[in-house]
Amino acid sequence: MSRITAPPRTLRLYGDLERPVDLTVAQLRRWPAQRAEVVFDCATNGAQRHVFTGPLLRDVAAEAHPAFDVHRRKDRSRFLIAVFGGDGHRSVLSWPEIDAEFGNSPVLLATTLDGRPLDAEGSQLVVPGDACGARYVSAITSIWVGAYLPPDR
């Protein structure tokens, strides 16, 4: 009897990028994996302790070539990153938070959670410095990278 398997979960990396791309969790493993042992407060489940591994968000996004001048810090500082999860949860970061010349936050696109591969569920956004787990986005469906434009422009 043959088993029907679901297609692998993908996340779409798009926006003000030269090379938008769709990536599976397996493809995220092309980048060097970082390890993050985190503790954060979850409003529904209390304190959480987990170990995540995966590439840095900045490495993955940088390879898609955001449409800013990498040599001009002020140009980079106007870019935002919006992460969307399969359950409708969303979170926003600024490029300077993850940029090595600014906040240098080691934000991950996790490919494992506590040693368990996330291929079936999809990648998870991990923000190790956050005391609250609200910016941890599970089952990422898309990541938008783009310049902030005020609504009155």
Side-chain angles (χ1 to χ4, degrees):
M1 179 189 307
S2 66
R3 285 181 67 188
I4 298 174
T5 58
R9 291 262 183 156
T10 61
L11 68 85
R12 172 160 289 196
L13 182 60
Y14 71 105
D16 295 337
L17 303 169
E18 288 181 24
R19 292 191 288 211
V21 65
D22 292 330
L23 296 165
T24 64
V25 171
Q27 290 169 323
L28 287 172
R29 292 189 182 100
R30 292 188 323 216
W31 286 271
Q34 306 293 313
R35 177 183 164 95
E37 293 182 33
V38 299
V39 177
F40 59 88
D41 183 51
C42 175
T44 55
N45 297 320
Q48 301 287 305
R49 292 181 177 278
H50 295 290
V51 176
F52 293 95
T53 61
L56 293 172
L57 170 59
R58 71 172 163 244
D59 291 346
V60 176
E63 195 167 301
H65 295 275
F68 53 66
D69 183 342
V70 295
H71 303 293
R72 293 182 52 225
R73 291 179 179 140
K74 287 185 179 181
D75 200 30
R76 286 181 273 160
S77 69
R78 66 191 175 90
F79 270 64
L80 299 174
I81 303 163
V83 181
F84 302 87
D87 63 356
H89 181 63
R90 322 170 195 177
S91 190
V92 176
L93 299 102
S94 68
W95 187 272
E97 283 181 83
I98 65 170
D99 192 297
E101 291 188 326
F102 290 93
N104 200 26
S105 182
V107 175
L108 300 183
L109 295 175
T111 59
T112 70
L113 165 60
D114 298 328
R116 182 177 53 80
L118 292 173
D119 296 72
E121 297 94 325
S123 182
Q124 181 166 339
L125 181 71
V126 177
V127 188
D130 284 5
C132 164
R135 291 200 297 176
Y136 284 62
V137 178
S138 300
I140 298 171
T141 57
S142 62
I143 300 172
W144 175 85
V145 177
Y148 172 72
L149 293 174
D152 61 334
R153 289 192 93 201

